[in-house]
Amino acid sequence: MHTIDDIEVAGRRVLLRSDLNVPLDKSGSGVITDDRRIRASLPVIRKLSDRGAKVVVMAHLGRPKGADFAERAAGGPSLLVVATRLGELLGKPVAFATDLVGPSAESTVGGLSDGDVALLENVRFEPAETSKDDSERSRLAARMAGLGDVYVGDGFGVVHRKQASVYDLPALLPHAAGDLVVAEVAVLKRLTESPARPYVVVLGGSKVSDKLGVIGNLLGLADRLLIGGGMVYTFLAAQGHEVGGSLLEADHIESVRAVLTDADKRGVEIVLPPDIVAATRFAADAPSDVVAADAIPADRTGLDIGPAARTLFASKLADARTVFWNGPMGVFEFPAFAAGTRAVAEALTRVDGLTVVGGGDSAAAVRSFGLPDSAFGHISTGGGASLEYLEGKTLPGLTALET
């Protein structure tokens, strides 16, 4: 895989695929509530700009709906707010094109001088970007390629997507991986190629179905798996326990039983919480009690791991030399049910070794607790991409950059 240090960019139009999919205020104000993905993209943007490239940034925002560009652009969200914030962080203007491959993009790119930066409108305003039809994506990629001389892929959060700006476009131009992607891949290789041991994986989140593939692959790599979050109730049910009104994927109970059997045969320790914080309903102010994990009342819903589980999980992380964590231990967005996730996050900060937070809700939780990024070895910018890599899947965006 070539890096941006391997290619000449001075005076050339560099199409840079970044991940600028930042969260916006839910009131509809369009205010960015967390600009960390923009900040994470800054080093490569600055590097290319400082080397004299005409930097043309491409990115998506949200999941626009509509039959064509006009409908999607009308419904938003537009990347204009991101262009404004990007300019503030760079300390210089960022030109903004109101389309992706139309007249505005052509004139905006055509007006750039060496070192300038532009941002094109949301790539997902073009339905062909995410089309399953190879020919549709290819036609859009060809139009995008006409705007550049070089392609750089630096959006790790989308490398698991077979999309026009991620998969099809690199084949049409000289291409390289950005530093953010290179760093992510380097960390993931450390997790999958001779990791320092004990190697502990902490998995949470809502659905076990989303994690079965990665669990299956990690059973051949990890020494210990700690399971929490909504997915733990399917594990408890697989052991024959009552889970009340807790999240349960009944159709995956047999798959989970198979996982438990396989782990036992391989000598991989699977650690489940001994107690649960069970509430009367799913709500921030719901009354709750701590109950044994094997005795959840039928009228209660598990919303977090209990105090004994927090202590147990921390002890199981204490001797780790490598840790990968993906998924909260409970509904951390509700302060009353955030203690389990906080306990895991704080335990990771005390680990003497590589600690990797697998992006998504895990990264959001870490930051909501006020823990600095520097307290962890690595916080991924792509939760879904990280999981698919650890599952052993081929990631289209990486394949395109390696070709």
Side-chain angles (χ1 to χ4, degrees), residues 206-277:
S206 59
K207 294 182 177 181
V208 71
S209 56
D210 293 338
K211 304 280 187 5
L212 281 172
V214 73
I215 289 172
N217 205 43
L218 287 172
L219 287 179
L221 294 167
D223 300 298
R224 191 178 299 151
L225 269 67
L226 314 186
I227 308 294
M231 62 185 285
V232 79
Y233 303 105
T234 304
F235 275 83
L236 293 173
Q239 293 182 328
H241 303 312
E242 168 67 55
V243 297
S246 308
L247 184 62
L248 173 65
E249 291 184 279
D251 54 337
H252 288 288
I253 287 176
E254 289 304 319
S255 297
V256 169
R257 284 185 180 142
V259 165
L260 293 169
T261 300
D262 191 20
D264 185 57
K265 288 179 180 178
R266 293 171 178 264
V268 177
E269 183 182 11
I270 291 190
V271 183
L272 302 180
D275 59 350
I276 296 292
V277 180

Side-chain angles (χ1 to χ4, degrees), residues 103-130:
S104 180
E106 292 172 359
S107 62
T108 299
V109 174
L112 296 178
S113 298
D114 295 354
D116 285 351
V117 178
L119 176 62
L120 306 183
E121 185 55 286
N122 193 339
V123 295
R124 291 187 180 171
F125 282 177
E126 291 285 353
E129 165 69 8
T130 56

Side-chain angles (χ1 to χ4, degrees), residues 24 28 40 88 114 155 199 269 273 301 318 328 368:
L24 303 177
E88 293 170 352
D114 295 354
Y199 179 13
E269 183 182 11
T301 297
S368 73

Side-chain angles (χ1 to χ4, degrees), residues 319-346:
D319 66 343
R321 297 301 307 281
T322 305
V323 180
F324 173 72
W325 172 34
N326 181 277
M329 298 294 98
V331 188
F332 76 93
E333 298 90 345
F334 298 163
F337 307 107
T341 305
R342 179 187 289 274
V344 166
E346 291 178 346

Side-chain angles (χ1 to χ4, degrees), residues 351-387:
V351 169
D352 181 18
L354 173 65
T355 54
V356 179
V357 180
D361 286 342
S362 305
V366 161
R367 289 154 181 163
S368 73
F369 300 144
L371 298 172
D373 289 6
S374 59
F376 304 89
H378 181 74
I379 297 181
S380 177
T381 56
S386 296
L387 282 177

Side-chain angles (χ1 to χ4, degrees), residues 1 14 32 84 113-114 136 157 159 163 176 189 199 206 228 231 262 276 278 299 309 315 318 363-364 366:
M1 186 187 296
V14 177
I32 296 171
T84 301
S113 298
D114 295 354
E136 286 185 14
V159 294
Q163 297 178 348
K189 284 186 175 180
Y199 179 13
S206 59
M231 62 185 285
D262 191 20
I276 296 292
D299 61 348
S315 72
V366 161

Side-chain angles (χ1 to χ4, degrees), residues 13-193:
R13 301 168 300 166
V14 177
L15 297 182
L16 173 63
R17 180 52 161 104
S18 298
D19 182 3
L20 305 178
N21 189 29
V22 294
L24 303 177
D25 184 83
K26 293 180 180 178
S27 70
S29 65
V31 173
I32 296 171
T33 57
D34 184 346
D35 66 0
R36 284 183 174 86
R37 282 185 174 170
I38 302 175
R39 292 178 182 273
S41 301
L42 289 178
V44 163
I45 295 173
R46 286 198 178 107
K47 191 174 190 177
L48 292 170
S49 175
D50 290 346
R51 288 175 56 189
K54 300 171 183 177
V55 186
V56 183
V57 184
M58 312 171 72
H60 73 279
L61 184 60
R63 297 185 177 183
K65 300 190 183 302
D68 54 24
F69 182 94
E71 280 189 22
R72 295 186 176 199
S78 170
L79 278 169
L80 178 58
V81 64
V82 174
T84 301
R85 183 57 180 150
L86 180 58
E88 293 170 352
L89 294 170
L90 286 173
K92 65 180 183 180
V94 171
F96 181 70
T98 57
D99 55 28
L100 179 64
V101 289
S104 180
E106 292 172 359
S107 62
T108 299
V109 174
L112 296 178
S113 298
D114 295 354
D116 285 351
V117 178
L119 176 62
L120 306 183
E121 185 55 286
N122 193 339
V123 295
R124 291 187 180 171
F125 282 177
E126 291 285 353
E129 165 69 8
T130 56
S131 175
K132 302 297 183 185
D133 186 318
D134 292 350
S135 62
E136 286 185 14
R137 291 197 321 275
S138 294
R139 286 193 292 271
L140 176 61
R143 296 181 67 190
M144 290 189 284
L147 297 170
D149 305 303
V150 176
Y151 174 90
V152 172
D154 200 43
F156 181 75
V158 290
V159 294
H160 58 317
R161 305 297 189 190
K162 192 174 184 180
Q163 297 178 348
S165 66
V166 177
Y167 177 76
D168 302 276
L169 180 54
L172 304 178
L173 295 170
H175 52 269
D179 294 348
L180 189 59
V181 164
V182 171
E184 292 273 7
V185 172
V187 168
L188 289 168
K189 284 186 175 180
R190 290 180 65 185
L191 293 177
T192 54
E193 300 175 6

